[in-house]
Amino acid sequence: MIKVSVLGYGTVGSGVVEILRENADIITKRTGEEIVVKSVLDLRDFPGDPVQDIIVHDFEEIKNDTEVQIVVETMGGLHPAYEFVKAALESGKSVCTSNKALVAAYGPELLEIAQSHNVNFLFEASVGGGIPIIRPLKISLAPDEILEISGILNGTTNYILTEMTDKGSDFDSVLKEAQEKGYAEKDPTADVEGYDACRKIAILTSLAYGKQLDFEDIYTEGITKITDRDIAYAKEIGAKVKIFGSSKKSGDKVSAMVAPKLITSSHPLYSVDGVFNAILVKGNMVGDVMFYGQGAGKLATASAVVSDIIDEAKHVNVNMKTLWDHEKLALMPLDEVTSKFLVRVKGNRESVQDAVEKAFGKVTPVDAGFDDEFGFVTEEITEGAYAGAAKQVEVINKIRFDA
Ligand code: HSE
């Protein structure tokens, strides 16, 4: 029998307890051992709940409990999650977590501590909720050199962009509706500004290349500037606006970015709508592989956490080495990254087209029916060239075009 402690009885933590109870038979068969929740750490009590008798309020109790072999961190936030996870690993317990902030900030250090104590630190649920992506990247795609990762990594923003596209609603009203339905947080900043997706692509890229990509180094642009007019232009060119966390290998350099992008129906992620997430990975041998599913939600996320518990229960006293060193991954300077851009500038076509072509070179005009502005798509140019050209005209907005 393997005994487990869960830190934090919120949405994901309670989902983990529920899955271990509901699916106990199949989990026992697949693990080869019974997995039992011995204690749950939370500041609150839960009278009437199945865990009411195993709630503890002091982490030291769990740390010093020699029967507990696996600690599940579902508290979220950096502190005290970091201190608790570190102490659990140092006490010889394996840890699994759904906490992307923790993994993005302390991944290599916690993996190193796990290795030196011959235990495991797993984090399948930290990216893509219920979508298996961390284990496939570490194991199934281990034979491949990863050439590219493109992910719709945030359900809230994908929902907002889908509603704006399908119903013509504006950003503010869709966000309000998403908050009312419980999809978006009360403070949606991390989602709509791209910070959530940024941590997720930082984790995936670090695992793909075995080196630390600091999320602070990734150019990150959210969706707050996307308007109904941008959506109208997107429709005019047969495209959808999606926010991507992406990274790409070019020669010996890697570029990474979080930004809204236009994609057309030929793109494999074109049909990923609503709160769903999807990740496209390009390997140099396997080619394109795609992972799709619920990127958030109680049972979906908890299912990924329980997959880690099972893996750890099957690897007691065996460290499954994860290649993710402290050494920093060198990023290609943003100025050198290339893209096509859909650009909207102030002024009608007749008055600004010459200035636009002088600044951007050859462009393809897009008429979305607005006579107070001029929209166009550039050729493939560098970010540096775009920034230089954009200074010469009055840009209303720009969206990168993954065509
Ligand atoms: N706020 C996140 C989302 C939850 O909307 O995708 C999962 O990280």
Side-chain angles (χ1 to χ4, degrees):
M1 182 188 290
I2 301 276
K3 293 195 178 167
V4 170
S5 281
V6 177
L7 312 184
Y9 198 58
T11 308
V12 181
S14 61
V16 168
V17 173
E18 187 178 329
I19 291 174
L20 287 173
R21 194 181 57 241
E22 285 281 315
N23 282 5
D25 288 350
I26 190 107
I27 290 171
T28 303
K29 276 190 200 132
R30 287 182 176 149
T31 312
E33 276 204 74
E34 196 183 349
I35 297 175
V36 172
V37 180
K38 181 166 184 205
S39 47
V40 173
L41 179 80
D42 206 286
L43 292 172
R44 303 159 293 177
D45 284 307
F46 294 89
D49 191 279
V51 300
Q52 66 174 355
D53 297 328
I54 55 168
I55 288 283
V56 299
H57 300 300
D58 182 2
F59 172 70
E60 290 297 307
E61 257 186 71
I62 291 171
K63 192 183 100 177
N64 297 328
D65 187 339
T66 51
E67 282 186 3
V68 172
Q69 288 179 282
I70 298 172
V71 169
V72 180
E73 189 278 304
T74 50
M75 303 161 62
L78 279 183
H79 303 287
Y82 165 71
E83 288 75 15
F84 289 179
V85 166
K86 190 173 170 186
L89 293 169
E90 285 170 345
S91 315
K93 302 178 194 311
S94 283
V95 175
C96 49
T97 182
S98 55
N99 187 337
K100 69 191 141 294
L102 177 76
V103 178
Y106 296 106
E109 180 190 338
L110 295 171
L111 284 166
E112 202 173 78
I113 297 171
Q115 195 181 359
S116 66
H117 289 80
N118 215 22
V119 290
N120 289 292
F121 176 60
L122 300 180
F123 39 88
E124 181 59 68
S126 66
V127 180
I131 305 172
I133 179 63
I134 303 284
R135 196 167 287 105
L137 206 49
K138 286 195 313 187
I139 312 281
S140 321
L141 298 175
D144 277 55
E145 185 180 353
I146 304 301
L147 302 176
E148 196 172 336
I149 302 173
S150 271
I152 295 174
L153 296 170
N154 183 271
T156 304
T157 47
N158 201 35
Y159 173 81
I160 293 172
L161 292 171
T162 302
E163 291 289 297
M164 287 175 77
T165 302
D166 291 353
K167 301 192 180 147
S169 326
D170 64 273
F171 175 83
D172 290 328
S173 53
V174 187
L175 175 59
K176 199 161 163 272
E177 191 190 311
Q179 284 170 317
E180 280 161 8
K181 286 187 175 166
Y183 295 154
E185 306 281 342
K186 269 201 191 104
D187 178 2
T189 315
D191 293 316
V192 298
E193 295 295 357
Y195 308 150
D196 175 81
C198 176
R199 279 158 182 78
K200 291 168 177 169
I201 194 65
I203 294 170
L204 296 180
T205 308
S206 297
L207 284 174
Y209 300 106
K211 291 180 185 168
Q212 170 70 0
L213 173 54
D214 289 330
F215 62 85
E216 296 95 333
D217 293 345
I218 300 175
Y219 174 80
T220 299
E221 196 179 297
I223 62 162
T224 51
K225 290 192 187 125
I226 305 290
T227 65
D228 47 357
R229 285 204 178 190
D230 293 308
I231 303 285
Y233 278 96
K235 285 186 177 165
E236 194 56 41
I237 54 175
K240 284 183 184 172
V241 184
K242 301 269 174 207
I243 178 164
F244 281 89
S246 48
S247 56
K248 191 173 181 176
K249 194 159 193 282
S250 313
D252 57 357
K253 290 183 183 167
V254 174
S255 59
M257 178 184 288
V258 174
K261 285 185 182 165
L262 292 155
I263 52 171
T264 56
S265 60
S266 59
H267 193 289
L269 302 190
Y270 182 79
S271 314
V272 179
D273 284 333
V275 291
F276 279 88
N277 284 196
I279 303 137
L280 178 70
V281 182
K282 193 188 282 287
N284 70 334
M285 296 293 154
V286 72
D288 285 356
V289 282
M290 223 173 104
F291 303 85
Y292 170 87
Q294 294 180 52
K298 177 177 170 171
L299 293 177
T301 308
S303 168
V305 176
V306 175
S307 79
D308 283 347
I309 299 175
I310 294 171
D311 211 1
E312 290 180 344
K314 290 167 87 167
H315 292 91
V316 174
N317 298 325
V318 183
N319 174 260
M320 298 175 273
K321 182 160 169 51
T322 298
L323 184 63
W324 182 353
D325 292 341
H326 288 277
E327 189 189 336
K328 272 187 85 156
L329 181 69
L331 275 187
M332 178 189 280
L334 181 67
D335 274 1
E336 294 174 19
V337 177
T338 63
S339 183
K340 287 184 178 180
F341 293 81
L342 169 74
V343 191
R344 294 167 48 215
V345 299
K346 281 189 185 161
N348 62 33
R349 181 173 173 174
E350 288 69 39
S351 64
V352 293
Q353 187 163 1
D354 285 349
V356 161
E357 288 185 338
K358 194 161 166 258
F360 288 89
K362 186 173 175 300
V363 300
T364 307
V366 183
D367 184 358
F370 308 112
D371 50 18
D372 54 347
E373 61 178 70
F374 176 48
F376 57 91
V377 176
T378 68
E379 299 285 281
E380 177 115 3
I381 55 175
T382 64
E383 293 275 340
Y386 170 81
K391 283 190 195 133
Q392 300 171 47
V393 289
E394 271 193 276
V395 173
I396 302 166
N397 202 8
K398 54 107 182 27
I399 308 177
R400 292 164 185 84
F401 189 9
D402 215 357

